[in-house]
Amino acid sequence: MDLISTPLHDAFSPYALSFVFAAMGLNVHYGYTGLLNFGQAAFAAVGAYAMGVAIASFDLPLILALIIGLAGAVLLALVMGVPTLRLRADYLAIVTIAVAEILRLIFSTSFKKYFHARDGVSGFTAGFRSINPFPEMPDGFLSFSRNDLWVMTVGWILVALVCLLVWALMRSPWGRILKSIREDEDAVRSLGKNVYSYKMQALVLGGLIGAVGGFIGGMGLASVQPDSFNTDFTFIAFTMLILGGAARVLSPAVGAVLFWALLSFLGVLLTKLSNGDNPIIPASFMSPDQVGNIRFAVVGLALMLLMIFRPQGIFGDKKEIAIDAR
Amino acid sequence: MPDDMNATPEEPTRTSQSVPVADRRNLDADLVGIATEPGVPKKDPIVVATKITRTFGGLTAVDVEHLEIQRGVITALIGPNGAGKTTFFNLLTGFDQPDTGDWSFNGRSLKRVSASRVARLGMVRTFQLTKVLSKLTVLENMRLGASGQRGERFWAAPFRFLWSSEEDAITVRARELLGRFKLDAKEDDFAGSLSGGQRKLLEMARALMVGPELVMLDEPMAGVNPALKQSLLGHVKSLREDGMTVLFVEHDMDMVRDISDWVVVMAQGKVIAEGPPESIMADQRVIDAYLGAHHDTDITELEESVLAAEVEAELLADHDGDNR
């Protein structure tokens, strides 16, 4: 039973939700506009920390804390975008990955009064939990706590709303410009569109979505720690996006759920197989302590096979890949 | 955008090999009596460029003292490879910035004006290596060209009712142009699936969606088959009939002779000559720099055999020389 319930639990958990938002933001950046943002973790971190510190240290109401978080994400997008979006695509990639690391180091070493170094920020969830409509449950559902269910309900409703917004934007002439920039920005420029401005709008929008992921993740874990926003965060979100298929509205959400389900399933399975007195997988080959790392290796293999046999991802359009001459 | 797009008679432009000189001359009365020296002032210039220089390291790619482009006519820009024609195009359209110089379009200075703004002002270019958006359909490529769409603003974009009627009007206009360029059967195909010649047509049609006053074509005939070439020629001529000004870079001398009213010759970054095509083709400096002495004579079979005999004799002589 664990083989089904644990993956289900993990795939829809608040922690997975924060990756869904990160991947949805990357879908706007990379999938639709072709912007290589390798610092999506920074947007989630700024959202989570701004919310956490605003409530825990300054006692601001939740709604104001969220607005500060979103404003922080906009500011971060401007800081990253102003110097780089006029340049070749590579520069944005370099700057974003550097900014994300710098921010993580600042959060873990500086302003300890507010950020509390590696312990992270906590004690900011009371306001959000006080409006939880779910009743006290003895065992919960899929062993989710009452608080988790509340975060997940809000989170998945927000995922649906963001998907709706992305869908509405990308069928519009605005979305057409983004997709054209992904193909060839000089062509778009020659037709009189301000490419710089549209790239900036895309960067801000995807960053805001990433910051919401920071809110949800922070509320779900009831704390915000710097190490959860390392570069792995960004690259796992990218993996989820590619798995689902870039430039499709639902692909980040489906990709994230599948990724976590697969990872969690492998964890449970490998643990079962390698545990006990006479394990199916002998200890000389793999011990139970190594499950955490081995499952990532297996997922990596699965992704390689996916890229070979279905390079467009689950939802992608084969035709769009096939005509790419470059 | 002129309304009488469909009124343009297709027949004469498609069938005629070249417009008789007499016909052409009454279209560009403005060019009659203009001296044929580099940098000569025109009666009604749409573009005026002065002292434009652009260097890449030690190489001076463009060094244009003065050049005026007459409104309402077709001007060809020719010259050997590396003469700076495409660089000059890039400079005029804001895709590159010159080291020195000033240039204006319709009397408005374009110094430090961005490429997108230049296009919105009515000066639209195509590229030597066609830039179609491969993963968008042909129709979407066309729709992208339309300027000032309400649905291109972020806050209006999610609400379809705010821009759907405008989108319909743009689609009608796009289909009209696609029909004219014989691409209407392809409208739902990805642009990446088009052939090289069809891409050229699509790029030109898409540039027209912007509603330009001046169309700048960078080698519109490169890689286009002879049949398609004839219809492209017709399209370029029809642009002039619709009141647009055309400036194009081309190596195909037949095309230059056929459709241009005025020819500007560049070599080593400088304008070395300009004038009507007939006088330019006879200009000794142009022949030396670009055309070569045999540019307007086809090699006959007799001449060919003579040449072959000469080569053979030379080879034999070399062979003898080696043996000795």
Side-chain angles (χ1 to χ4, degrees):
Chain A
M1 258 334 268
D2 284 357
L3 277 176
I4 297 171
S5 63
T6 308
L8 262 180
H9 175 279
D10 290 354
F12 293 95
S13 67
Y15 186 56
L17 262 171
S18 65
F19 283 92
V20 173
F21 283 99
M24 286 195 296
L26 286 177
N27 197 24
V28 173
H29 289 154
Y30 172 73
Y32 289 106
T33 323
L35 297 176
L36 271 178
N37 169 18
F38 285 149
Q40 186 70 343
F43 288 102
V46 162
Y49 268 96
M51 175 189 74
V53 172
I55 296 174
S57 300
F58 297 96
D59 238 353
L60 296 178
L62 177 65
I63 191 81
L64 199 59
L66 296 183
I67 290 171
I68 292 172
L70 294 176
V74 172
L75 190 71
L76 180 64
L78 294 176
V79 166
M80 286 175 174
V82 167
T84 56
L85 288 182
R86 284 185 204 279
L87 308 173
R88 253 191 7 236
D90 333 19
Y91 292 95
L92 180 71
I94 296 167
V95 165
T96 47
I97 200 168
V99 168
E101 282 298 279
I102 291 168
L103 277 178
R104 185 174 66 85
L105 291 172
I106 289 176
F107 287 137
S108 58
T109 58
S110 310
F111 306 105
K112 287 186 179 157
K113 192 178 153 217
Y114 302 111
F115 299 145
H116 307 288
R118 285 184 188 281
D119 297 340
V121 183
S122 54
F124 53 81
T125 52
F128 182 70
R129 288 181 176 178
S130 70
I131 46 174
N132 186 349
F134 286 103
E136 204 65 60
M137 281 174 282
D139 203 17
F141 168 71
L142 275 173
S143 70
F144 281 118
S145 72
R146 179 174 172 262
N147 289 324
D148 280 348
L149 280 179
W150 176 225
V151 173
M152 283 160 62
T153 307
V154 173
W156 284 103
I157 288 173
L158 281 174
V159 169
L161 289 177
V162 170
C163 282
L164 191 68
L165 176 71
V166 169
W167 169 77
L169 280 170
M170 294 310 163
R171 67 166 182 172
S172 76
W174 186 83
R176 179 162 64 214
I177 293 182
L178 295 200
K179 287 180 255 177
S180 306
I181 290 173
R182 178 190 66 194
E183 302 295 310
D184 192 324
E185 51 178 271
D186 273 346
V188 181
R189 211 169 268 137
S190 79
L191 296 171
K193 320 290 179 199
N194 188 342
V195 170
Y196 179 66
S197 157
Y198 284 99
K199 281 179 18 182
M200 190 61 93
Q201 291 171 40
L203 190 65
V204 169
L205 177 65
L208 286 173
I209 297 172
V212 174
F215 300 156
I216 297 291
M219 283 301 178
L221 298 172
S223 79
V224 178
Q225 285 156 355
D227 290 336
S228 37
F229 303 106
N230 57 17
T231 45
D232 290 1
F233 180 92
T234 303
F235 289 111
I236 288 176
F238 255 113
T239 308
M240 292 164 166
L241 173 63
I242 306 292
L243 174 67
R248 288 288 177 277
V249 171
L250 291 178
S251 63
V254 175
V257 167
L258 278 180
F259 182 89
W260 276 128
L262 182 65
L263 198 65
S264 166
F265 173 81
L266 281 169
V268 178
L269 182 71
L270 291 174
T271 308
K272 272 189 193 299
L273 292 180
S274 60
N275 255 335
D277 292 336
N278 191 12
I280 298 167
I281 300 174
S284 57
F285 185 71
M286 186 188 86
S287 73
D289 320 337
Q290 293 166 327
V291 166
N293 291 329
I294 298 272
R295 62 179 185 158
F296 269 104
V298 176
V299 168
L301 185 69
L303 283 168
M304 281 164 69
L305 292 174
L306 177 86
M307 283 296 102
I308 291 167
F309 294 107
R310 200 173 163 79
Q312 71 273 36
I314 293 166
F315 286 131
D317 188 340
K318 186 92 185 176
K319 268 191 287 181
E320 290 191 23
I321 304 278
I323 56 173
D324 196 359
R326 280 167 295 174
Chain B
M1 214 61 205
D3 320 323
D4 57 343
M5 233 173 256
N6 283 343
T8 309
E10 278 270 315
E11 270 318 293
T13 51
R14 299 216 7 122
T15 50
S16 63
Q17 268 299 116
S18 66
V19 176
V21 171
D23 273 14
R24 197 159 63 201
R25 285 293 158 258
N26 59 35
L27 267 166
D28 50 282
D30 283 338
L31 289 173
V32 172
I34 300 277
T36 59
E37 66 211 33
V40 64
K42 308 294 189 305
K43 283 181 183 148
D44 182 14
I46 190 165
V47 171
V48 179
T50 309
K51 291 197 166 50
I52 305 272
T53 63
R54 177 72 171 104
T55 54
F56 297 107
L59 175 82
T60 304
V62 169
D63 182 11
V64 171
E65 187 57 32
H66 189 79
L67 183 66
E68 298 186 2
I69 309 292
Q70 170 65 31
R71 187 190 308 277
V73 304
I74 300 178
T75 303
L77 183 58
I78 65 171
N81 294 323
K85 306 182 295 293
T86 296
T87 308
F88 189 53
F89 252 49
N90 289 344
L91 294 173
L92 287 182
T93 49
F95 278 84
D96 191 6
Q97 293 298 320
D99 304 326
T100 66
D102 206 348
W103 67 109
S104 67
F105 173 70
N106 273 335
R108 186 191 192 287
S109 172
L110 291 185
K111 205 167 182 172
R112 278 185 283 276
V113 174
S114 71
S116 57
R117 182 108 186 83
V118 169
R120 284 201 296 278
L121 286 169
M123 183 166 165
V124 178
R125 71 170 300 182
T126 66
F127 294 87
Q128 189 174 354
L129 300 167
T130 34
K131 289 183 185 291
V132 298
L133 308 159
S134 348
K135 291 178 192 172
L136 265 60
T137 65
V138 168
L139 192 58
E140 283 284 81
N141 263 273
M142 292 295 286
R143 287 185 183 133
L144 176 73
S147 298
Q149 302 177 39
R150 184 189 267 181
E152 289 179 350
R153 281 184 236 137
F154 179 79
W155 299 112
F159 310 105
R160 187 158 207 282
F161 60 91
L162 288 178
W163 47 263
S164 61
S165 61
E166 193 184 47
E167 183 87 343
D168 292 345
I170 289 168
T171 307
V172 169
R173 201 149 66 82
R175 291 218 166 100
E176 218 166 48
L177 273 169
L178 284 177
R180 192 167 140 194
F181 281 77
K182 305 271 181 291
L183 286 170
D184 40 351
K186 300 264 179 194
E187 68 171 47
D188 293 325
D189 293 2
F190 283 116
S193 69
L194 297 182
S195 75
Q198 287 169 330
R199 286 174 196 222
K200 289 264 176 202
L201 286 174
L202 175 59
E203 203 186 25
M204 201 190 285
R206 191 179 63 190
L208 297 184
M209 285 297 289
V210 185
E213 263 185 81
L214 171 62
V215 185
M216 298 175 64
L217 308 169
D218 199 345
E219 299 203 19
M221 293 295 162
V224 175
N225 73 51
L228 203 52
K229 221 171 246 190
Q230 278 310 313
S231 79
L232 255 174
L233 282 179
H235 291 314
V236 175
K237 274 187 264 195
S238 70
L239 298 184
R240 177 182 57 191
E241 279 143 31
D242 291 341
M244 281 172 248
T245 307
V246 180
L247 175 65
F248 71 97
V249 169
E250 189 51 68
H251 284 300
D252 184 333
M253 278 307 120
D254 289 334
M255 175 179 179
V256 172
R257 218 187 316 251
D258 261 15
I259 66 167
S260 59
D261 304 302
W262 196 260
V263 181
V264 176
V265 188
M266 282 181 78
Q268 287 161 344
K270 292 185 164 56
V271 174
I272 59 164
E274 60 174 302
E278 295 78 14
S279 67
I280 284 296
M281 303 283 176
D283 189 311
Q284 194 55 45
R285 283 167 306 175
V286 180
I287 292 168
D288 290 347
Y290 180 48
L291 297 172
H294 295 291
H295 70 96
D296 55 0
T297 52
D298 286 334
I299 297 179
T300 63
E301 236 170 274
L302 180 67
E303 280 171 328
E304 208 171 330
S305 59
V306 171
L307 274 174
E310 271 174 30
V311 173
E312 213 169 317
E314 266 173 49
L315 282 172
L316 275 174
D318 279 356
H319 191 69
D320 289 349
D322 289 346
N323 280 354
R324 221 177 289 151

